[in-house]
Amino acid sequence: EVELEESGGGFVQAGESMRVCCIVSGITFHEYGIAWIRQAPGKDREGVSCFASADDKIYYADNVKGRFTMSTDKAKARNTVCLQMNSLKPEDTARYRCAFTGDYGRNCLSWWQYDRVGHGMQVIVSS
């Protein structure tokens, strides 16, 4: 069974940086997706970055490109993913969750494809 262990989060000032990480273990799928999904108060969920194992690439939502960097560290049945968030803005304030799916379609940023989602951590960016 796939398990997610998240770490990081907290409070920062606008313009500062923060790093959140997730250890995904128990991976038995040949192809899978891992995403960072966030949800701000009163807003819909949003996939901000994702790793697609099929093409070994990382994708970003347009509103975080150039500011957020997702990294992966793959090992047998395990992948540690981190999201380095730079130049944070108040609108980045949200609950960030790590998510896993063994069956994603053409776009691994689509949050509704993920059936294993972590509890997440709060990221608060103050102006």
Side-chain angles (χ1 to χ4, degrees):
E1 182 178 349
V2 172
E3 295 185 349
L4 309 172
E5 182 180 344
E6 300 160 309
S7 61
F11 179 95
V12 294
Q13 299 287 334
E16 294 183 342
S17 299
M18 181 179 291
R19 180 180 171 92
V20 294
C21 290
C22 177
I23 301 173
V24 184
S25 59
I27 300 173
T28 59
F29 295 85
H30 177 64
E31 293 184 356
Y32 61 88
I34 298 175
W36 285 100
I37 299 169
R38 70 182 182 185
Q39 186 167 20
K43 295 187 177 181
D44 202 358
R45 296 181 190 182
E46 175 188 23
V48 295
S49 69
C50 63
F51 167 72
S53 72
D55 55 8
D56 199 29
K57 289 184 178 180
I58 293 172
Y59 299 87
Y60 299 94
D62 288 341
N63 56 359
V64 304
K65 281 181 182 176
R67 299 189 299 120
F68 288 14
T69 301
M70 182 177 181
S71 62
T72 66
D73 183 6
K74 296 182 287 291
K76 184 177 181 180
R78 180 186 176 110
N79 196 337
T80 300
V81 297
C82 291
L83 185 66
Q84 177 68 39
M85 301 180 285
N86 298 329
S87 302
L88 282 162
K89 304 175 181 179
E91 51 263 44
D92 293 318
T93 294
R95 189 165 194 83
Y96 286 72
R97 291 183 167 93
C98 175
F100 176 91
T101 180
D103 182 20
Y104 64 90
R106 298 173 61 184
N107 184 358
C108 66
L109 286 174
S110 299
W111 61 265
W112 53 87
Q113 301 178 103
Y114 291 84
D115 51 3
R116 295 287 296 170
V117 184
H119 293 294
M121 62 284 279
Q122 196 68 30
V123 173
I124 300 172
V125 184
S126 173
S127 57

